[in-house]
Amino acid sequence: MDAALIWEWVIKSVIILLIMLTGFAYLTFYERKALARIQVRIGPNRAGPGGWLQPVADGIKLIFKEELIPGSAEKVTFILAPIITVVPALVITAVLPWGDTVQIFGRQVSLSLANINVGVLYIMAIASIAVYGIVLAGWSSNNKYATMGGLRASAQMISYELALGTAFALPVLLSGSMSLKDITVAQGGGWWYIFLQPVGFFIFIIAGLAEVNRSPFDLPEAEQELTAGYHTEYSGMKFALFYMGEYIKMIAVSAFAATFFLGGYQGPGVTQYPWLGPLYLFLKIFVLLFWMIWMRATLPRFRYDRLMAFGWKVLFPVSFANLLLTAVVVIIWPQASGLALFVPLMVVNVLVLLLATVLMAAGLGGKKNVA
Amino acid sequence: MTLDLILFLLLAVIAVAAAVGMLVSKNTVHAALFLVLNFATIAVFYLILGGPFISMAQITVYTGAIMVLFLFVIMLLGVEKLSGQDKLSWQVPTALTLGALLLLESGYFLIFRRTPLEMSGTQSIPEAFGGPSAVADALFQHYALPVEIAGVLLLVAMVGVIALTKWEKGRS
């Protein structure tokens, strides 16, 4: 292994980390601005021109805040929990390809850090570790609201992980590979998987939203019932780490949704000009992030029992039926692509949507179940 | 080779320490966390041995799903602190005896073995033998029937659990 390759990896890793951290800082700004515009306000506009230094000001404020550790907290676990939350969020995007190969100083550089053949499984593995941070934060705070929030979070994340996993399997089925690069390349012809599997895409982003505890699935931090949920007792930089974890996970979910269903870095002219790839990916992530913020501004929170019923009785069966029928289509027409694949998959999608309607009526319909 | 060896020894120490910590810790949440660490270390072992698929599956299934459920149940029932008296006290000497036997056995094998440590067929192992497609081939072509039988057994267990809890609910 030559030294240049190692340096390439190190530089790429540092760039990814820097992009994720800057992305986190400016995503908070973006969210506050977008929420403000939706609610007919102006939003932060004091720090710097147009408020663009607001994230810097927030960061400085959080650094200088007092760090409190409750007397009855489990000290080691309490300090460990924010770290366990942030690290998986930071390393999960290592498998994301953000472009094809480009020439830099006469050297062929692939615009992805790790193109491994178990990329999808890697994402599943790292995402499943992220639950620990939240659960441990809730438990170690020794506070009943925090514990409730942690328990809710773990139950919710386990429930929606199943639907998310089956939605992950759809692009794997359609492209025949677990490498994110291959999945992106397979969508090169313009037949993005959102056109072939719209239901799969919606299952993916709903489950992804639940997985990152975003509104309307932000039950673990429902302030009316639980003050702030699992991070009630956290302050200063430890609180900032939880915040960072949540926003970086938002970016990661958007990036994966863009890669799996929206063609990743593919777009017009990307074969001639490989540097367009990261730009296209950024635009797709930007749109998906706006969608998440829009959801937060629009939808009220789920009731907790409804959330569980929706996850187990609607989303998971629908996702599973979708996977099963798609597998049947792929088996029957293994060589089909484009329109020949589109028609049978549309039939599958309509069938699955019908099933979803039936299940919604049966599973969530006017029962008197009150938590 | 030496780098591999250093990495292996480091991980081995972590794995063994985590296992011992799991056994001796009085707090069940800490015990569960030690077990999580142990599982994660074993996943890294698989990665070093060239089995990326089984490594990721190990993390997803054991570290990510099963242990989260363990923690969830521990916290939900509030049984963090173990009670003083141990109902299964006979298990400690039995486990110690069996563990010592296993150690003796492997020690005997290591010292008195006749064959060299390198397996004769090392060269014939293909590059991607631990990759997802190789594992899928083995599971669904070569061992299709055992896999299916195992799947049916698991399904039976799941249906059984649901049936049992339903019956309990109806009675109470």
Side-chain angles (χ1 to χ4, degrees):
Chain A
M1 209 176 294
D2 64 323
L5 198 63
I6 293 178
W7 274 111
E8 190 187 314
W9 284 339
V10 170
I11 291 170
K12 278 186 200 167
S13 310
V14 171
I15 289 176
I16 291 184
L17 287 183
L18 283 180
I19 288 178
M20 293 313 272
L21 292 177
T22 324
F24 148 67
Y26 276 91
L27 180 57
T28 60
F29 180 63
Y30 178 35
E31 172 163 45
R32 288 171 70 178
K33 272 286 189 191
L35 274 181
R37 297 315 302 183
I38 290 170
Q39 294 160 357
V40 205
R41 294 184 285 119
I42 295 171
N45 64 348
R46 295 288 143 168
W52 274 87
L53 293 179
Q54 185 66 42
V56 182
D58 285 343
I60 292 171
K61 182 195 81 172
L62 280 168
I63 287 170
F64 285 108
K65 270 198 166 180
E66 188 185 359
E67 300 258 353
L68 281 174
I69 296 180
S72 57
E74 280 269 335
K75 216 164 187 178
V76 179
T77 326
F78 189 81
I79 294 169
L80 213 59
I83 301 169
I84 301 179
T85 314
V86 164
V87 171
L90 279 174
V91 299
I92 199 168
T93 43
V95 290
L96 188 80
W98 68 93
D100 213 352
T101 46
V102 292
Q103 287 266 358
I104 301 175
F105 303 128
R107 186 187 160 82
Q108 287 283 347
V109 177
S110 154
L111 286 182
S112 60
L113 179 61
N115 179 26
I116 52 176
N117 61 355
V118 285
V120 174
L121 267 177
Y122 172 84
I123 299 170
M124 289 296 295
I126 302 295
S128 63
I129 288 179
V131 188
Y132 282 109
I134 292 176
V135 178
L136 291 178
W139 175 76
S140 64
S141 300
N142 216 344
N143 166 327
K144 64 183 168 194
Y145 294 122
T147 310
M148 281 290 294
L151 283 178
R152 275 189 180 187
S154 59
Q156 174 178 330
M157 283 163 109
I158 292 170
S159 311
Y160 281 78
E161 214 166 67
L162 294 169
L164 193 71
T166 39
F168 264 135
L170 287 170
V172 175
L173 259 184
L174 292 173
S175 69
S177 170
M178 280 209 249
S179 148
L180 270 75
K181 180 89 182 220
D182 292 351
I183 290 173
T184 314
V185 170
Q187 301 175 69
W191 281 102
W192 295 351
Y193 290 152
I194 186 177
F195 303 128
L196 296 175
Q197 265 297 348
V199 174
F201 175 67
F202 279 106
I203 292 170
F204 184 93
I205 51 177
I206 290 171
L209 214 55
E211 198 74 1
V212 297
N213 296 328
R214 285 285 301 179
S215 173
F217 300 102
D218 56 348
L219 269 292
E221 37 196 300
E223 51 278 305
Q224 292 90 340
E225 311 154 27
L226 297 176
T227 60
Y230 58 89
H231 56 57
T232 304
E233 298 286 2
Y234 283 88
S235 56
M237 275 320 274
K238 288 202 220 42
F239 169 74
L241 284 183
F242 278 115
Y243 211 63
M244 189 195 279
E246 182 183 332
Y247 279 82
I248 291 177
K249 276 188 242 165
M250 267 173 84
I251 300 176
V253 163
S254 307
F256 291 133
T259 304
F260 285 137
F261 290 96
L262 300 179
Y265 60 82
Q266 305 276 3
V270 86
T271 40
Q272 288 89 14
Y273 307 102
W275 280 112
L276 278 176
L279 185 70
Y280 282 133
L281 187 64
F282 174 76
L283 283 178
K284 286 165 188 172
I285 293 174
F286 195 75
V287 170
L288 282 168
L289 284 176
F290 178 74
W291 175 81
M292 283 191 179
I293 295 167
W294 193 7
M295 285 292 113
R296 174 171 171 186
T298 312
L299 292 179
R301 225 171 251 138
F302 265 77
R303 209 173 66 198
Y304 191 66
D305 59 321
R306 287 276 174 96
L307 175 103
M308 279 303 175
F310 180 69
W312 283 105
K313 294 180 184 166
V314 180
L315 207 62
F316 179 52
V318 164
S319 185
F320 200 73
N322 194 12
L323 180 68
L324 197 73
L325 293 174
T326 310
V328 169
V329 168
V330 170
I331 291 284
I332 295 178
W333 294 284
Q335 301 302 326
S337 63
L339 205 64
L341 198 57
F342 175 73
V343 176
L345 280 181
M346 272 310 110
V347 178
V348 167
N349 272 298
V350 170
L351 282 176
V352 167
L353 268 185
L354 283 176
L355 176 70
T357 329
V358 172
L359 286 176
M360 286 278 250
L364 301 175
K367 274 193 199 162
K368 55 169 173 36
N369 45 5
V370 173
Chain B
M1 192 57 215
T2 45
L3 196 68
D4 273 7
L5 198 65
I6 293 168
L7 195 61
F8 170 79
L9 286 176
L10 204 67
L11 284 170
V13 168
I14 295 175
V16 172
V20 171
M22 192 274 280
L23 283 174
V24 299
S25 62
K26 287 285 171 218
N27 189 320
T28 41
V29 172
H30 292 171
L33 288 178
F34 276 124
L35 197 55
V36 169
L37 182 63
N38 185 277
F39 283 156
T41 324
I42 286 168
V44 183
F45 276 136
Y46 288 139
L47 212 55
I48 293 174
L49 291 173
F53 179 83
I54 194 166
S55 166
M56 292 301 147
Q58 162 92 7
I59 293 187
T60 313
V61 175
Y62 286 97
T63 315
I66 292 179
M67 287 319 292
V68 170
L69 278 179
F70 264 63
L71 265 185
F72 185 73
V73 170
I74 290 170
M75 289 177 191
L76 200 66
L77 299 180
V79 286
E80 286 96 342
K81 296 278 180 288
L82 287 176
S83 55
Q85 80 273 23
D86 207 345
K87 280 175 193 160
L88 299 169
S89 54
W90 59 271
Q91 278 194 341
V92 179
T94 320
L96 281 178
T97 318
L98 287 177
L101 261 178
L102 186 69
L103 265 181
L104 274 178
E105 205 176 348
S106 37
Y108 175 81
F109 180 75
L110 273 175
I111 295 164
F112 297 105
R113 72 192 140 77
R114 297 265 179 262
T115 50
L117 196 61
E118 280 83 25
M119 277 192 300
S120 54
T122 316
Q123 279 81 18
S124 64
I125 293 176
E127 183 75 4
F129 77 101
S133 48
V135 173
D137 267 351
L139 281 184
F140 295 109
Q141 306 267 333
H142 199 216
Y143 298 107
L145 190 65
V147 168
E148 291 296 322
I149 290 173
V152 169
L153 277 178
L154 287 174
L155 189 68
V156 167
M158 210 160 73
V159 172
V161 167
I162 292 171
L164 283 174
T165 48
K166 274 251 172 201
W167 176 73
E168 218 169 63
K169 205 176 178 182
R171 203 177 58 162
S172 64

